[in-house]
Amino acid sequence: MADNMNRPANDLMRMLADFRLPAMPDMDALAAAQRRNLEALSAANRVALEGAQAVARRHMEILQSAMSEMTEAMSSLATQESPQAKAARQAELLKATYEKAVNNMREVADLIQKSNTEALSLLNARFTEAMGEVKQLMNKQG
């Protein structure tokens, strides 16, 4: 009879012995991973900022060049020429200005795309690395 009374306690002790708590994650590994995440984000921000600065510099160069060319074009149109010659020169200037504007826009768009691609590449590389780290942590716990 005493054996039957101890049986629930023994069963409970056996169940508790079989029960396993999940392993605590490696806090040093988690802290190191978070540090690498922040470093990757910082590097991507730096690349994006440098790209924005390059675009701003190039925009300023383009504006200065355009102003200089416009001043030069206006002074060349002020000469004593026939109306037909002036119209022809204006058409040439308009065509050249349009082509240059399109090329400048393409150049600026390429600068922006290069900067964005580089920044995203840094973040994608870190994301892939982080997923590998998570997989390793899960394998260690299992």
Side-chain angles (χ1 to χ4, degrees), residues 6-65:
N6 285 335
R7 191 168 194 192
N10 289 339
D11 288 345
L12 180 63
M13 292 304 284
R14 216 172 305 131
M15 279 183 9
L16 287 175
D18 290 342
F19 183 71
R20 291 193 178 126
L21 291 173
M24 286 296 291
D26 182 354
M27 295 308 280
D28 290 335
L30 285 175
Q34 188 63 20
R35 181 180 40 75
R36 286 189 295 276
N37 291 343
L38 291 173
E39 288 169 356
L41 188 58
S42 176
N45 283 336
R46 186 175 54 255
V47 165
L49 178 61
E50 289 169 0
Q53 289 172 338
V55 167
R57 274 192 303 275
R58 186 62 188 129
H59 257 291
M60 191 56 95
E61 291 168 1
I62 289 169
L63 284 173
Q64 289 171 344
S65 174

Side-chain angles (χ1 to χ4, degrees), residues 78-99:
T79 60
Q80 299 287 330
E81 287 184 311
S82 69
Q84 293 85 2
K86 281 185 181 182
R89 193 184 337 231
Q90 284 176 342
E92 288 172 18
L93 285 171
L94 185 59
K95 181 182 177 196
T97 301
Y98 175 77
E99 289 172 354

Side-chain angles (χ1 to χ4, degrees), residues 27-28 32 43 50 62 67 70 79 96 112 121 125 128 133 141:
M27 295 308 280
D28 290 335
E50 289 169 0
I62 289 169
M67 292 304 288
M70 186 188 303
T79 60
I112 292 169
S121 175
T128 301
E133 291 169 356
Q141 288 181 1

